[in-house]
Amino acid sequence: MIFLDAAAQTTSQGGGGGMEMLIMMVALFAIVYFFMIRPQNKKQKEEQKFRDSLEVGQEVMTIGGLHGKIKHVDSEAGIVTLNIATGVDVKFSKNAIAKK
C-alpha cells in the first residue's frame, strides 16, 4: 500500500519530464551534428575537390606516404600515374592521393 502511494506521488510530481527529455535529445543531436558530422562532411568535400583538380606535373603524396609527381591522370577510371623516381611509374587510385 505504501508503494502505491509513493508511485502515485512521483507520477503527479514529474509531469513535464517527457518534454524535457525530448528537448535534451534534440540539443544533443544538434551538438553532435555541428561539432562532428558537419566538419567531417566539409573535409570530405574539400578532399574530393582536390582529387578532382589533380593535374599532370603536380607534386603529391599518397595516403601511404609515397611522394611523387603526377605523370598521367585518367579521370574516367579514377587512376593517377605517379613518377616516384627516374623511370619508375606507379598507378594509384585517385582516392589514394592525400595531399600536395
Side-chain angles (χ1 to χ4, degrees), residues 34-77:
F34 282 108
F35 287 108
M36 295 179 74
I37 298 171
R38 189 169 177 236
Q40 182 65 27
N41 288 342
K42 186 176 179 181
K43 183 179 177 183
Q44 286 176 348
K45 285 181 184 179
E46 289 175 1
E47 288 175 356
Q48 188 60 41
K49 186 177 177 181
F50 166 72
R51 289 178 179 137
D52 290 339
S53 68
L54 293 175
E55 297 176 352
V56 175
Q58 189 175 6
E59 294 275 338
V60 294
M61 183 179 80
T62 66
I63 57 176
L66 191 64
H67 293 261
K69 187 179 279 190
I70 296 177
K71 185 174 180 181
H72 179 13
V73 178
D74 185 358
S75 297
E76 292 178 16

Side-chain angles (χ1 to χ4, degrees), residues 5-6 8-9 11 15 20-21 24-25 27 31 40 43 48 57 59 68 79 81:
D5 289 336
Q9 287 177 355
T11 14
E20 291 174 5
M21 184 66 151
M24 290 298 291
M25 293 298 286
I31 289 170
Q40 182 65 27
K43 183 179 177 183
Q48 188 60 41
E59 294 275 338
I79 296 175
T81 305

